[in-house]
Amino acid sequence: MTIPAEAIVPSSTNSKGKNPLFVKDHDDIFIQKKSSSSSSDDSGSGNPADGVRTSVYKHFESNMYVLVCRTSSPIFTLNIYVPTAAPNNKGLPHTLEHLIFCGSKRYPIRGYIDTLASYNYSVGTNAWTDKDHTCYTLDATAEDGVANVLPSFLDHVLNPLLHDDHFVIEVYHFDETGKEKGIIDYHHKYYDANNVTVVLIGAFSDDFEEKYLQTIPADIVQSRGSDSREPMDFSPPDNSHPRYETVRFPSSDTSTGSFSFGWQGPKHGDPETNLALDIMLEYLAGTSSSPLNLRFVERPSPLASSIESYNYSNVITMLNPVFNDVSYMCKDITNQLKNGLNDSDLPHLFEERYFKGMLIGEFKQLIDTQFDGDKYALEKAAKRLSDKMASNIEEAPGDAMQEIFYPDIVASHFLPESQGIKKLHIGSLLRQFDIIADVSKRPVEFWIGLLKKWLIDGTVYHFALVPDTELGPKLDLERKKIEQANAAKFVDKEAHAMRIKKAVDASTAHVSEEVKKAMRAPDPTKTTILPHKQNLVVLDNAIGPVVAVQSINVDSGFAEAQIQIPIGNITDDQRSYLTLFQELLMGTDILLPAGVLFDNSNTPLQTEKRVRYSVFESRISDLVASRYSRFGQRLQLFSCKVIQALDIIKAVDAVKQLFLDMHNNWDTIISDTDVNLAQSVMKYECTIEQSVPAGILNQSISNSIHGFANADEYNTWYSTHVVAVKISDMCCMFKKYMLPFTDSEYPMFHLLVMTSDVDIPAELGPFEQKTLEEISATYKANY
């Protein structure tokens, strides 16, 4: 369905005249980016010298807030937070999240908001639903890009259409065969301006609020008077609730399952205890040489492939270690025992509470040995955590700032002690680095008490996830019965099918050329990248295999070193071992040559020294915030992902048909506005690649490989060519590279088959071979 441009209600300035729509709520606050040398400032407002300045604004009538957080990042982030409680398990908040994007009263076109975002140096909008809030997000590479989208996005969130057609296709209904399609919403109570907080993060100009925030159409953010602030019950379940549960999942691979443990942590408002628990989790499982990894993973017969640990920062925190790929059933265990990896624990891991006993026993062992006799263990873990947090603020400032803001936003809404107080309290984590520094100096007795109170004596709920080869067919049978029962409810199935088709047609996204041309776009000259300088030095005398060194100077709190190793001359036989080599590289003993420094000694080694990988790993973990290894990426012209092997043929046919349609209807499908949209997206991708120090490093290496002296030279070349591209150029490239895909003689694609969470065998070799044979046979039969 095409809606003309006149259906879009034009934006207007604040109808209140000279009265500001949003007024400053209090003085600016400053959020720490790194640990300071002194924590003597206890004012609660932070130190401007080392902080990220954040301004807080409140709607002049309602309790809607806007936070403008000024980082140095050239990526501008828009986040609209709606505290959402779930009264049951029907998925109401998540369903409503999807309905929001179906159009709004001022912009009644499905797909309008994402098209507008794409024209504004973004790749579209996004959203997520958590336990106690829903957040709608946008990333753009221009300040005015965010400003252009903000009014429309707010209108979608606060004033969505919620038509019957949207419910038919997005929410709960049956199709003509009886299949279930979703649930219903609860917009009116929670999605009111009274309950919304907007968080803007990026290098916003000082006059952003005056230019853009105050000019949002007043009716968009007008409250209907609904206030969803109410105390939530955070008391733990009573003793009748099971604390251990086995959850079966369908899988033809029965060799491994997993365990998930959960402890209720402290309430929001106790940052010291929460950060101390973060330090404890970092110590327990933060590195491969940490106690839990040494006990469960890094051993001759691993009990798990990896351990992940989380401290979820909701109103009530949750401590959640997860053990992945735990040996299950006799096949895997028998193979390990046959190979001489005898371990008395293996046959009992999935016996009720056995794994929990092992975990709690490890905690008690750490208390008995006072953390393996290392009195600095928790202090070093605190240093690692602090470095990781500072690195995250630098590499992903938008995400890092949200982690600081959203717990305060939600707590102000739902904590019992916040009821009756309409003011938003931001700042519980303003000085989190100083808190970590202070806590890290606590004596060993403090850490023993912390471990005992929260993880040993605390109530733990744990789940065993067990593979089941028979569950898949059972679930399919149950689903078919439900579909048959649903289908029986419809007397006129044809009429029901027509109703659904009508709803789908009415709600299909189609933004007209007229509407596209009326959309505002940012000034391309105002996009920036992170300032930096690069310098390539070719060595007169190679140092081992190193023939050149590239230095990149960028404003960063961290130094990063990369070693680039060319693998172009590796044979095909050797190439198959690269993944295993990469995996084992940091899990192998190190032979240090004479003359190097090791440990804290200033005396070089007199002879070669073999160092256990666990010792080396521990040493490296104390020195660096992060490390990684990876293979270089290749250019992909086009790619798609399918779930099942037999879907590959359907996917290939669909892509071929798409390309044929483009070829036959090029003039009607591709327009100047489509070219402009593609250029906007490419501008976004180019900028985001160079918005953080790690991206600068990778781009600088690429610049040197391709002969660019510096980033400015590359960006000038890139921007010039992107702007110069015309429809005729796109048509030429399409015919040269993509149209041949429709020829049956053309090499179609490179196929990568991998195991995932779908029901497929675990043996990679035989499964890949079988898949390729099926595809080949099906393709020959059809073509």
Side-chain angles (χ1 to χ4, degrees):
M1 179 176 65
T2 302
I3 298 180
E6 51 266 26
I8 304 295
V9 180
S11 297
S12 60
T13 58
N14 177 12
S15 62
K16 299 296 179 180
K18 295 182 179 180
N19 295 328
L21 192 63
F22 293 91
V23 294
K24 206 162 189 179
D25 195 51
H26 50 69
D27 292 341
D28 289 347
I29 58 177
F30 294 84
I31 301 167
Q32 269 189 319
K33 296 187 293 184
K34 57 185 178 180
S35 181
S36 63
S37 58
S38 171
S39 58
S40 58
D41 176 12
D42 57 1
S43 63
S45 61
N47 183 356
D50 67 355
V52 178
R53 179 165 66 97
T54 301
S55 303
V56 181
Y57 295 85
K58 181 181 178 295
H59 189 273
F60 78 102
E61 284 184 333
S62 72
N63 293 306
M64 178 180 177
Y65 283 86
V66 178
L67 278 62
V68 182
C69 178
R70 289 179 165 87
T71 68
S72 59
S73 172
I75 301 300
F76 297 84
T77 303
L78 161 63
N79 311 278
I80 304 173
Y81 282 95
V82 185
T84 47
N88 50 49
N89 293 324
K90 292 184 177 181
L92 303 180
H94 193 195
T95 300
L96 183 54
E97 173 200 315
H98 287 265
L99 288 170
I100 291 300
F101 295 95
C102 293
S104 69
K105 293 179 181 178
R106 187 179 287 266
Y107 309 97
I109 303 177
R110 185 185 178 96
Y112 177 88
I113 186 67
D114 281 313
T115 304
L116 177 65
S118 296
Y119 274 105
N120 280 275
Y121 298 164
S122 174
V123 290
T125 59
N126 207 343
W128 75 75
T129 299
D130 205 335
K131 300 175 183 64
D132 49 20
H133 68 275
T134 304
C135 184
Y136 299 87
T137 69
L138 170 83
D139 290 342
T141 58
E143 173 183 284
D144 48 346
V146 167
N148 290 340
V149 178
L150 177 58
S152 303
F153 212 169
L154 281 171
D155 197 53
H156 277 70
V157 171
L158 296 173
N159 306 297
L161 292 178
L162 302 183
H163 285 171
D164 289 343
D165 289 340
H166 302 154
F167 282 81
V168 170
I169 62 171
E170 290 282 350
V171 197
Y172 191 83
H173 76 276
F174 306 133
D175 65 13
E176 71 276 10
T177 66
K179 294 181 179 178
E180 299 178 1
K181 295 296 183 181
I183 50 178
I184 58 175
D185 82 296
Y186 69 163
H187 181 271
H188 184 79
K189 178 178 180 180
Y190 292 97
Y191 281 66
D192 187 278
N194 247 330
N195 308 317
V196 167
T197 300
V198 177
V199 179
L200 300 164
I201 304 169
F204 289 98
S205 59
D206 288 336
D207 61 350
F208 173 82
E209 291 90 333
E210 188 63 33
K211 286 174 58 179
Y212 300 113
L213 196 59
Q214 305 296 0
T215 59
I216 294 174
D219 58 304
I220 289 180
V221 293
Q222 181 68 43
S223 170
R224 300 183 301 272
S226 177
D227 191 335
S228 61
R229 290 167 178 81
E230 57 187 7
M232 295 179 66
D233 182 10
F234 298 109
S235 57
D238 57 36
N239 291 332
S240 64
H241 190 84
R243 297 180 183 178
Y244 172 85
E245 188 172 344
T246 297
V247 180
R248 297 187 174 274
F249 63 93
S251 177
S252 58
D253 175 11
T254 60
S255 62
T256 62
S258 61
F259 283 98
S260 180
F261 295 84
W263 287 265
Q264 182 171 297
K267 282 199 305 185
H268 177 274
D270 186 1
E272 181 180 286
T273 303
N274 271 312
L275 288 169
L277 288 168
D278 284 337
I279 295 171
M280 180 62 71
L281 292 178
E282 172 65 27
Y283 164 72
L284 291 172
T287 70
S288 60
S289 60
S290 63
L292 294 187
N293 273 300
L294 291 178
R295 175 68 177 92
F296 293 92
V297 179
E298 302 295 335
R299 47 187 284 164
S301 51
L303 305 183
S305 67
S306 63
I307 303 172
E308 302 168 69
S309 60
Y310 309 96
N311 184 359
Y312 289 103
S313 301
N314 296 92
V315 177
I316 294 295
T317 58
M318 183 182 74
L319 311 174
N320 177 216
V322 179
F323 295 76
N324 299 310
D325 300 319
V326 178
S327 297
Y328 177 76
M329 294 296 288
C330 58
K331 181 177 72 171
D332 186 64
I333 294 174
T334 301
N335 288 337
Q336 293 191 52
L337 296 178
K338 283 181 178 179
N339 291 330
L341 302 178
N342 191 9
D343 192 309
S344 59
D345 290 321
L346 285 173
H348 308 288
L349 295 178
F350 281 84
E351 294 177 3
E352 186 170 337
R353 295 180 174 81
Y354 187 90
F355 205 94
K356 172 198 169 186
M358 296 176 61
L359 180 59
I360 299 299
E362 183 64 22
F363 293 158
K364 292 180 178 179
Q365 176 73 10
L366 291 173
I367 287 180
D368 292 341
T369 61
Q370 296 201 348
F371 304 106
D372 292 330
D374 186 353
K375 64 180 181 180
Y376 299 111
L378 275 302
E379 186 175 348
K380 289 185 288 187
K383 174 64 165 56
R384 291 199 303 271
L385 176 65
S386 184
D387 287 345
K388 289 179 180 179
M389 290 167 56
S391 177
N392 190 39
I393 289 176
E394 192 173 274
E395 295 294 339
D399 294 340
M401 292 299 107
Q402 288 189 78
E403 291 290 329
I404 292 173
F405 291 134
Y406 89 78
D408 288 341
I409 293 171
V410 180
S412 295
H413 216 79
F414 290 135
L415 272 184
E417 50 265 38
S418 299
Q419 301 311 304
I421 303 174
K422 303 300 184 181
K423 194 174 183 63
L424 175 64
H425 292 281
I426 295 292
S428 64
L429 293 174
L430 286 183
R431 303 196 65 77
Q432 56 184 343
F433 291 99
D434 284 347
I435 296 175
I436 291 175
D438 288 342
V439 170
S440 70
K441 304 298 184 183
R442 298 290 175 85
V444 69
E445 290 78 15
F446 168 82
W447 298 106
I448 289 175
L450 188 81
L451 181 58
K452 189 174 186 303
K453 175 180 179 179
W454 294 101
L455 297 179
I456 295 179
D457 295 340
T459 300
V460 58
Y461 297 88
H462 66 297
F463 297 87
L465 279 71
V466 175
D468 188 336
T469 58
E470 299 178 355
L471 184 58
K474 288 180 181 179
L475 293 176
D476 285 340
L477 181 60
E478 291 177 7
R479 177 179 52 80
K480 290 177 181 178
K481 289 180 179 179
I482 292 173
E483 291 173 0
Q484 291 171 358
N486 292 338
K489 298 177 182 178
F490 302 108
V491 177
D492 191 342
K493 296 181 180 180
E494 183 176 349
H496 184 69
M498 289 298 297
R499 181 195 173 201
I500 295 173
K501 183 178 184 303
K502 179 181 176 182
V504 171
D505 291 343
S507 299
T508 299
H510 186 87
V511 183
S512 68
E513 289 297 307
E514 188 180 6
V515 170
K516 291 179 183 177
K517 290 178 180 178
M519 290 179 174
R520 294 180 180 176
D523 181 350
T525 65
K526 292 185 178 180
T527 59
T528 61
I529 62 173
L530 207 62
H532 62 282
K533 296 180 180 180
Q534 69 180 68
N535 183 34
L536 182 66
V537 178
V538 178
L539 302 178
D540 294 332
N541 299 304
I543 304 174
V546 179
V547 297
V549 176
Q550 182 170 12
S551 65
I552 300 100
N553 296 322
V554 62
D555 183 16
S556 171
F558 298 87
E560 181 170 345
Q562 282 192 10
I563 300 176
Q564 304 286 328
I565 304 175
I567 59 175
N569 294 328
I570 294 179
T571 66
D572 290 341
D573 290 341
Q574 294 171 328
R575 195 175 295 272
S576 62
Y577 293 99
L578 278 174
T579 302
L580 181 61
F581 173 78
Q582 182 187 25
E583 181 71 21
L584 296 178
L585 183 61
M586 297 305 294
T588 305
D589 290 357
I590 306 296
L591 187 63
L592 296 177
V596 302
L597 299 174
F598 187 67
D599 289 333
N600 294 320
S601 172
N602 292 323
T603 304
L605 294 175
Q606 299 300 310
T607 60
E608 286 185 341
K609 180 181 178 65
R610 178 168 177 164
V611 180
R612 283 282 296 161
Y613 79 90
S614 57
V615 175
F616 186 78
E617 155 73 18
S618 178
R619 176 69 173 146
I620 289 293
S621 297
D622 292 340
L623 294 174
V624 303
S626 63
R627 66 183 187 280
Y628 57 89
S629 60
R630 65 186 178 199
F631 297 127
Q633 298 178 346
R634 293 183 177 181
L635 175 66
Q636 287 183 323
L637 183 63
F638 185 84
S639 66
C640 62
K641 179 180 179 181
V642 297
I643 302 300
Q644 298 179 0
L646 294 180
D647 288 340
I648 294 176
I649 296 299
K650 297 178 183 178
V652 171
D653 287 341
V655 174
K656 284 187 174 183
Q657 187 59 49
L658 170 65
F659 289 171
L660 284 173
D661 289 344
M662 291 178 64
H663 176 62
N664 295 330
N665 303 284
W666 182 271
D667 293 337
T668 58
I669 292 178
I670 308 297
S671 65
D672 287 333
T673 54
D674 294 311
V675 176
N676 294 339
L677 188 150
Q679 290 170 336
S680 172
V681 172
M682 293 178 70
K683 185 70 174 177
Y684 168 85
E685 292 175 345
C686 178
T687 304
I688 202 168
E689 287 173 354
Q690 303 174 79
S691 63
V692 294
I696 291 292
L697 178 59
N698 294 329
Q699 185 61 52
S700 296
I701 293 170
S702 177
N703 290 345
S704 295
I705 292 173
H706 292 97
F708 294 103
N710 52 55
D712 289 338
E713 187 176 298
Y714 165 77
N715 289 320
T716 299
W717 172 87
Y718 184 90
S719 299
T720 301
H721 283 73
V722 167
V723 172
V725 169
K726 305 299 180 186
I727 292 181
S728 57
D729 303 315
M730 293 177 62
C731 184
C732 179
M733 292 299 101
F734 171 79
K735 291 179 179 178
K736 182 175 182 179
Y737 291 108
M738 304 184 82
L739 189 60
F741 184 83
T742 61
D743 187 343
S744 60
E745 300 298 321
Y746 187 75
M748 293 190 303
F749 54 86
H750 295 285
L751 175 65
L752 174 64
V753 179
M754 65 180 69
T755 57
S756 62
D757 57 351
V758 297
D759 187 15
I760 56 177
E763 296 80 6
L764 289 176
F767 174 73
E768 289 180 349
Q769 186 62 40
K770 180 174 179 292
T771 301
L772 292 172
E773 290 173 356
E774 288 178 353
I775 292 172
S776 177
T778 306
Y779 189 79
K780 289 179 180 178
N782 290 339
Y783 300 101

